[in-house]
Amino acid sequence: MYKNIYEKMSVAVAEAQYAAENSEVPVGCAIFLGDELVTSSHNICEETSDPTDHAELIAIKKAIKTLGREKIRKCELFVTLEPCPMCAGAILHSGIGKVYFASYDPSFGAYDGYVNVFSHPDGKNTEIYGGIMEERCSEMIREFFRKMRNK
């Protein structure tokens, strides 16, 4: 039972740490229905050689399969990095009610960064909250890319 947004974001952070340990960009995602964890995932783009294997897309697919399309509208999505336009589109199409993200992404973010996909009329049904555990997740990403540059 996960009672607050920090406990829920911690699940996504653990997924991001696992991704980093496996040479993936450290992005983790968790989807909750109320206080119950539905699913969690992390980036696997390097593992699968598929640039669309983002944590959010994998989690959304699992949640839809687990809950069925109608129930996913009541879900909350927690992710360690501001969703990109591709993931934001999937969030809107799946009807997820609330999105919480940690780090802002000025380069590819689809809320407060590169573009605001959530400003689309379909985005009015999705509440977005950024900066949850931001410093911890931003440092994880900085450290990952520091290590990659030094290889």
Side-chain angles (χ1 to χ4, degrees):
M1 190 75 107
Y2 299 86
K3 297 202 184 268
N4 64 54
I5 60 172
Y6 299 101
E7 289 179 6
K8 292 176 180 181
M9 184 62 81
S10 293
V11 176
V13 170
E15 288 283 352
Q17 290 170 327
Y18 183 83
E21 291 165 7
N22 288 281
S23 301
E24 297 280 355
V25 176
V27 177
C29 182
I31 296 179
F32 289 83
L33 181 59
D35 292 339
E36 299 297 322
L37 176 64
V38 175
T39 190
S40 63
S41 62
H42 55 274
N43 279 8
I44 58 168
C45 299
E46 296 299 319
E47 176 186 326
T48 62
S49 298
D50 183 343
T52 67
D53 276 341
H54 288 198
E56 299 97 306
L57 294 183
I58 295 164
I60 289 168
K61 288 176 186 179
K62 287 180 180 178
I64 288 169
K65 191 172 188 176
T66 300
L67 298 173
R69 187 137 173 91
E70 303 80 38
K71 293 183 181 177
I72 196 165
R73 293 186 180 284
K74 298 175 184 173
C75 288
E76 298 173 318
L77 182 143
F78 290 78
V79 64
T80 57
L81 183 64
E82 179 180 353
C84 72
M86 175 182 67
C87 293
I91 290 166
L92 292 180
H93 284 293
S94 67
I96 290 173
K98 293 182 183 178
V99 174
Y100 299 87
F101 67 88
S103 301
Y104 288 84
D105 185 356
S107 299
F108 290 102
Y111 175 66
D112 193 47
Y114 171 72
V115 66
N116 186 347
V117 173
F118 295 99
S119 67
H120 184 277
D122 287 346
K124 70 182 182 312
N125 298 321
T126 304
E127 297 176 37
I128 314 293
Y129 304 94
I132 314 301
M133 298 175 69
E134 180 178 12
E135 185 53 41
R136 181 174 181 187
C137 294
S138 294
E139 180 55 35
M140 191 183 328
I141 290 170
R142 284 191 297 270
E143 179 63 22
F144 175 80
F145 284 111
R146 246 191 314 269
K147 286 180 181 177
M148 295 301 285
R149 282 190 297 275
N150 291 333
K151 280 189 176 181

